[in-house]
Amino acid sequence: MARLFILDLDHTLIYGSYAEKESAELLFQHNPFLKVYKRPLAEELIRICQTKGDIIVYTTALRKYAKTVCDKLAIHPKALLSRKNCKIIHGKHKKTVKSDWVTSYKDIIIIDDSPNIWLSNDDNLTFLVPEEFRGQAADIGLQKIINLLKRY
Ligand SMILES: [Mg+2]
């Protein structure tokens, strides 16, 4: 049975910044104030996930923004879940694992800098948690995860 990767966007693969400039590579300018930077190795991580399973992108961001990020990073997810797919608990957006994912996939690997944003913690979930990306060109937070996924 297949494997599912659930990818977070903000602070995992990208960083949206209101500052004048960050050192990482600019992915796109979302609006006059917000620039979105690509995390080093983001595309390599996506490529590995794409060869080893299906991808779902799950973000607490708004859908239109998330769609642009997916397009710019060439992610072709089976599904894109955004803010409207989150549960709100005590005013905070939370992510939940859908039951049909659990029945359709043997392994579910969640790559997210904020594991505490997830309500579910099933046995067949694996959390890979990179440190938070904040726009630094020297960031190597994805390297460890890539090395791990190469052995999958
Ligand atoms: Mg995040």
Side-chain angles (χ1 to χ4, degrees):
M1 214 159 54
R3 184 186 286 130
L4 174 66
F5 293 97
I6 304 179
L7 302 181
D8 174 49
L9 296 179
D10 278 295
H11 301 113
T12 296
L13 298 178
I14 54 155
Y15 178 58
S17 174
Y18 292 93
E20 185 63 39
K21 194 171 168 34
E22 306 289 351
S23 58
E25 187 184 330
L26 182 70
L27 186 61
F28 67 102
Q29 177 133 11
H30 182 63
N31 64 38
F33 312 103
L34 183 64
K35 295 186 182 86
V36 178
Y37 294 86
K38 180 170 72 178
R39 188 172 209 171
L41 302 173
E43 277 149 334
E44 189 178 344
L45 179 85
I46 294 158
R47 198 166 54 236
I48 290 180
C49 294
Q50 254 151 201
T51 59
K52 296 192 180 251
D54 291 339
I55 294 180
I56 284 176
V57 168
Y58 200 162
T59 172
T60 57
L62 294 174
R63 185 177 170 88
K64 191 164 172 266
Y65 170 83
K67 178 76 173 71
T68 308
V69 173
C70 287
D71 290 347
K72 297 280 182 188
L73 286 175
I75 309 175
H76 310 292
K78 289 265 168 211
L80 169 56
L81 283 79
S82 59
R83 185 168 302 176
K84 64 181 178 199
N85 303 106
C86 293
K87 272 206 171 112
I88 297 175
I89 310 268
H90 304 303
K92 292 204 159 66
H93 291 92
K94 298 284 185 180
K95 299 175 182 176
T96 55
V97 171
K98 313 296 173 211
S99 55
D100 60 308
W101 300 346
V102 178
T103 50
S104 308
Y105 294 96
K106 187 161 77 74
D107 290 322
I108 299 178
I109 296 132
I110 297 173
I111 303 175
D112 194 324
D113 70 292
S114 309
N116 56 350
I117 221 166
W118 286 86
L119 292 174
S120 341
N121 208 342
D122 280 88
D123 276 352
N124 58 345
L125 299 181
T126 303
F127 281 89
L128 301 180
V129 182
E131 25 321 356
E132 209 179 338
F133 173 52
R134 292 215 161 259
Q136 302 311 304
D139 178 281
I140 50 160
L142 296 182
Q143 187 65 66
K144 229 188 290 175
I145 292 176
I146 287 170
N147 293 346
L148 206 90
L149 291 181
K150 279 180 179 163
R151 283 183 264 125
Y152 269 55

